[in-house]
Amino acid sequence: MSEIKKIGVITSGGDCGGLNAVINGAARMAHHLGIEICLIPNGYAGLYNLENLIPTMIDAQRADRINSEVAGSEAGHSRVKISKIKDPNKYEKIKAGLKKHNIDCLVIAGGDDTGSVVVDLITKGINCVHVPKTMDLDLQSYSVGGDSTINRISKFTADLRTTGLTHNRALIIEVFGRYAGHTAFRGGIGADADCILIPEVWVDYEVVYQHFKKTYLQRLLSSDVKGSTYIIVAAEGVKNKEGKYFVDDSSGSDSFGHQKLTGVGSFIRNQLEFYMKKDPDWEIILKREGIYVEDIYMFPEIREIALGHLVRAGETSSYDVTFGKQAGGGAVLLLTQGITGVTVVGVEADVVTYIPTKDAIMQRYVDINEIEFFESLGVCFGREPVEYLPKFQIQEGIIHRYM
């Protein structure tokens, strides 16, 4: 690649924490190297329409106004898959837009869908480097947004425990994650959830019910004010014991063809209520404890709560600010070396690590062996617990590992 004079920055896909840190890191590294840098607004929709847009130049003053601690993206997003645009001249149009604004190459932050477009653009001669961004944490490398999302899931879930205890309710907290359960798993553990349901474990609802009943009643019977609760954190892509997703057919698909997974919280509630209303123990115990009221309070209430975009919004964790700046700046450094079509893995001291984007966007799932440890601590994962059999070894050398 010839000498780079100007870089364009795109953020794409779902919003999350850390994206403004990516922009900030890329901008400041470009300034350090004497390279111009600009924002292309609204993701791939903006890239496609670049001939008719004026990109926002990020000079030192503009970079100073980008708050890395704020989630979301100053550049804006869109869910657009370039290859699905019907215009047969779409790639030539994109190249013409880049040429018009003298943009030599691109830094593109996004998840697996965004990364698949990066792979596509590279094959068409459009030079770019991918910064991994997904709150789902399902890429092969750590991705901007994961830590922020886990912290928010934990915080909201812990906060909701107070309303559960006040009303003696069981709560089902539904969170994003699509086909991988990393955020539900880590966020649920962080909030001391009683039960965590993830796509990687096919759920037997009778097992969940028995764990709920035992845990809820233990708390009720040991409380001097007859208070109890039970907390489930469930990924939106939970499967039943036949391995099938719960799918609300009315939810439709997104622009990348993914079925929108919504409503699993109400499905889980219905499953628990089915078993609970057949169980005579509730009437016996609640009457004995002075809680039972005929036709009004015969069973604990179960409520589902979808955290939705709250886990994407608000603040960015310090880890994601740090990683975002490193990844954004690292992407610029890779471009200056003519290294394109790759995903930034990280920056450790004076080493910028990367892997081919086609490899980075292969989905990564929760390691089932890892949940056995937490099953031994009493957390239910919707199956009969598997005995945890640890191995022991001394760690040699220094390893940096996040999740």
Side-chain angles (χ1 to χ4, degrees):
M1 186 186 297
S2 59
E3 182 182 358
I4 293 172
K5 296 181 179 179
K6 189 174 183 181
I7 295 173
V9 179
I10 294 171
T11 58
S12 182
D15 56 314
C16 64
L19 283 165
N20 284 322
V22 171
I23 297 169
N24 208 320
R28 292 179 184 275
M29 182 57 71
H31 297 160
H32 173 69
L33 299 172
I35 300 170
E36 286 189 311
I37 190 164
C38 64
L39 283 178
I40 298 173
N42 300 321
Y44 288 133
L47 181 63
Y48 174 67
N49 290 292
L50 191 54
E51 282 186 291
N52 303 316
L53 294 175
I54 299 177
T56 299
M57 296 302 300
I58 318 174
D59 57 16
Q61 290 72 34
R62 183 66 179 88
D64 196 47
R65 296 197 300 273
I66 297 173
N67 188 342
S68 297
E69 295 180 354
V70 175
S73 169
E74 293 233 358
H77 285 213
S78 63
R79 290 191 182 275
V80 172
K81 188 170 186 176
I82 298 293
S83 63
K84 286 192 172 183
I85 298 173
K86 294 181 179 179
D87 179 1
N89 298 313
K90 49 186 172 286
Y91 297 105
E92 287 72 21
K93 182 176 179 179
I94 290 171
K95 290 176 182 178
L98 292 169
K99 184 176 181 180
K100 176 181 177 180
H101 297 289
N102 299 314
I103 298 172
D104 300 306
C105 48
L106 301 169
V107 171
I108 302 177
D112 56 343
D113 291 330
T114 299
S116 70
V117 179
V118 169
V119 174
D120 179 34
L121 293 175
I122 285 291
T123 65
K124 302 300 188 296
I126 298 169
N127 291 312
C128 37
V129 167
H130 175 231
V131 173
K133 178 279 325 171
T134 172
M135 49 150 283
D136 298 343
L137 281 174
D138 58 349
L139 301 184
Q140 291 299 315
S141 60
Y142 177 75
S143 304
V144 169
D147 185 68
S148 301
T149 295
I150 288 167
N151 280 305
R152 290 180 71 78
I153 289 172
S154 294
K155 179 65 166 61
F156 287 128
T157 301
D159 287 349
L160 286 165
R161 186 180 296 274
T162 62
T163 191
L165 281 167
T166 299
H167 294 278
N168 282 8
R169 288 175 181 147
L171 299 178
I172 302 162
I173 315 299
E174 179 184 332
V175 300
F176 289 143
R178 202 188 291 169
Y179 307 129
H182 297 285
T183 52
F185 176 32
R186 303 291 177 182
I189 292 297
D192 280 338
D194 302 299
C195 177
I196 300 170
L197 304 180
I198 57 178
E200 291 86 347
V201 178
W202 299 0
V203 178
D204 184 330
Y205 289 100
E206 190 166 5
V207 170
V208 176
Y209 171 72
Q210 292 300 332
H211 189 268
F212 153 64
K213 177 184 175 182
K214 177 183 177 182
T215 306
Y216 184 95
L217 289 177
Q218 282 178 341
R219 288 177 180 152
L220 182 73
L221 297 177
S222 65
S223 169
D224 59 354
V225 291
K226 308 304 178 188
S228 188
T229 189
Y230 184 84
I231 305 295
I232 298 174
V233 174
E236 61 186 350
V238 166
K239 298 175 183 175
N240 63 19
K241 59 184 179 181
E242 285 76 41
K244 296 180 179 179
Y245 293 106
F246 168 78
V247 175
D248 180 352
D249 292 333
S250 65
S251 60
S253 302
D254 65 21
S255 59
F256 281 82
H258 302 302
Q259 174 72 46
K260 294 179 181 178
L261 303 176
T262 60
V264 75
S266 64
F267 179 78
I268 295 168
R269 173 176 55 79
N270 289 334
Q271 296 300 304
L272 294 181
E273 288 176 343
F274 170 78
Y275 289 108
M276 185 167 59
K277 290 176 180 179
K278 295 195 305 179
D279 189 339
D281 289 348
W282 291 102
E283 181 176 348
I284 295 168
I285 295 172
L286 295 184
K287 279 184 175 179
R288 188 180 70 204
E289 298 301 311
I291 299 173
Y292 186 89
V293 179
E294 187 72 35
D295 294 328
I296 296 176
Y297 194 88
M298 301 165 64
F299 308 97
E301 184 181 17
I302 303 174
R303 292 272 186 103
E304 69 272 12
I305 300 159
L307 294 184
H309 287 76
L310 285 170
V311 304
R312 297 182 179 275
E315 298 176 352
T316 295
S317 71
S318 296
Y319 186 93
D320 274 337
V321 169
T322 303
F323 179 81
K325 287 182 176 181
Q326 289 177 318
V332 170
L333 290 170
L334 288 168
L335 287 169
T336 63
Q337 299 303 305
I339 301 171
T340 65
V342 300
T343 297
V344 182
V345 172
V347 179
E348 295 285 345
D350 59 349
V351 179
V352 180
T353 55
Y354 60 93
I355 56 177
T357 298
K358 63 181 177 59
D359 297 332
I361 61 177
M362 294 172 61
Q363 285 206 312
R364 179 175 66 90
Y365 300 100
V366 173
D367 184 347
I368 298 302
N369 295 321
E370 192 172 359
I371 74 172
E372 295 171 8
F373 177 89
F374 295 100
E375 285 178 324
S376 72
L377 303 185
V379 180
C380 176
F381 285 87
R383 67 178 189 180
E384 293 292 346
V386 175
E387 184 181 1
Y388 177 59
L389 299 172
K391 303 177 181 67
F392 301 93
Q393 66 182 38
I394 187 169
Q395 177 66 62
E396 297 180 359
I398 298 173
I399 276 188
H400 174 262
R401 180 176 179 269
Y402 188 99
M403 298 182 185

